[in-house]
Every structure is written in structure tokens, then in C-alpha cells.
Amino acid sequence: MKYLHAMVRVRDLDASLRFWCDGLGLVENRRRDYPQGRFTLVYLGAPENPDSEVELTWNYDEEDYGSARNFGHLAFAVDDIYASCERLLTMGYTINRPPRDGHMAFVRSPDLISVELLQKGEALAPAEPWASMANTGVW
């Protein structure tokens, strides 16, 4: 058996690609449009293991996907958790669980998918503004 991908439904493909690619650094591996089925599939991979993908499914017709809490989360190891969170914060995303411990943070995509960021290797030393930043919302 081989793990292939996790699929998340997205409401706005451009907004989602901005988060997943520009914000988190995933790379688009391929895209498949199915106009007859009224949906597009975009497969994204992390640079270090591109074969384990996140599949974004964009249905052309609007649907209510709710708050997405039933999904759980996706997790990514990052080289520098502070730099990753700073980049996302600068792009306008809320860091729901800041990396106070230099090890773990949570952010939500435009489609409310929880994304866990974990520092590669040992935790970084606690640093401001993260060390004293409170949680925001849910993740």
C-alpha cells in the first residue's frame, strides 16, 4: 500500500492557492479540470516529499462546507517556525495557536482547514512576539 493524498474542498481556488503555495510553500504538481463534472482538482506537494499530496477540490457550484472542524488537520514540518508564521501573518492570516514553545503552531486556510506547523528538529528558543501571543479562535 502507498499513501497518496488528503483531499480538501475549497471555496475559492485562487485564495486557497495563495495560502497553500505562497503562504506555506507547497508546489502545484498537476491540475485537472473537469468542466462536465463542474470541478477542478489541483494536487500540491511539499518540496521535500512531493509525492505525498494535498488535493484541492474546487466545485464550480457553491456549497456550504461548514466550519471544517470535522476534518482534523494537516501537518507540515518547517525549517523555521517563526519565519513561517511571520510570512503567514504578513499575508493576513491569523496564527490561531502561536509557536510560543518554538515547536508548534496552528493556522487555518481560507477554507477553515486546520494546518499544524512543526519545527524540524529541536524546538527553537522561545522568542517574542510569539512567546506572549495568545491563542485566537479555534483550530
Side-chain angles (χ1 to χ4, degrees):
M1 183 180 344
K2 177 183 176 183
Y3 173 79
L4 297 176
H5 65 263
M7 182 274 273
V8 295
R9 289 182 178 86
V10 301
R11 294 174 180 91
D12 179 327
L13 187 56
D14 291 332
S16 295
L17 288 171
R18 180 176 183 264
F19 175 81
W20 295 101
C21 296
D22 298 341
L24 288 178
L26 299 185
V27 176
E28 184 173 326
N29 290 337
R30 64 190 180 288
R31 180 185 297 229
R32 295 195 178 135
D33 294 307
Y34 296 93
Q36 71 283 8
R38 303 195 44 75
F39 66 95
T40 294
L41 305 178
V42 180
Y43 294 88
L44 308 175
E48 289 185 29
N49 58 334
D51 294 337
S52 298
E53 297 175 312
V54 175
E55 173 193 314
L56 303 182
T57 297
W58 176 57
N59 293 304
Y60 303 166
D61 302 313
E62 288 197 27
E63 288 183 50
D64 179 11
Y65 299 132
S67 68
R69 292 282 294 159
N70 61 326
F71 178 79
H73 69 267
L74 300 173
F76 295 93
V78 297
D79 290 326
D80 182 331
I81 197 160
Y82 296 142
S84 296
C85 288
E86 182 63 34
R87 180 176 59 253
L88 290 163
L89 195 62
T90 300
M91 293 176 71
Y93 300 109
T94 299
I95 306 302
N96 301 98
R97 195 283 190 188
R100 289 183 295 274
D101 55 5
H103 175 69
M104 178 183 67
F106 274 90
V107 62
R108 292 181 93 184
S109 78
D111 298 288
L112 306 178
I113 302 301
S114 289
V115 177
E116 179 181 20
L117 303 176
L118 296 167
Q119 174 63 42
K120 286 182 185 174
E122 296 298 317
L124 301 180
E128 294 298 340
W130 312 108
S132 58
M133 191 179 289
N135 292 343
T136 302
V138 295
W139 57 92

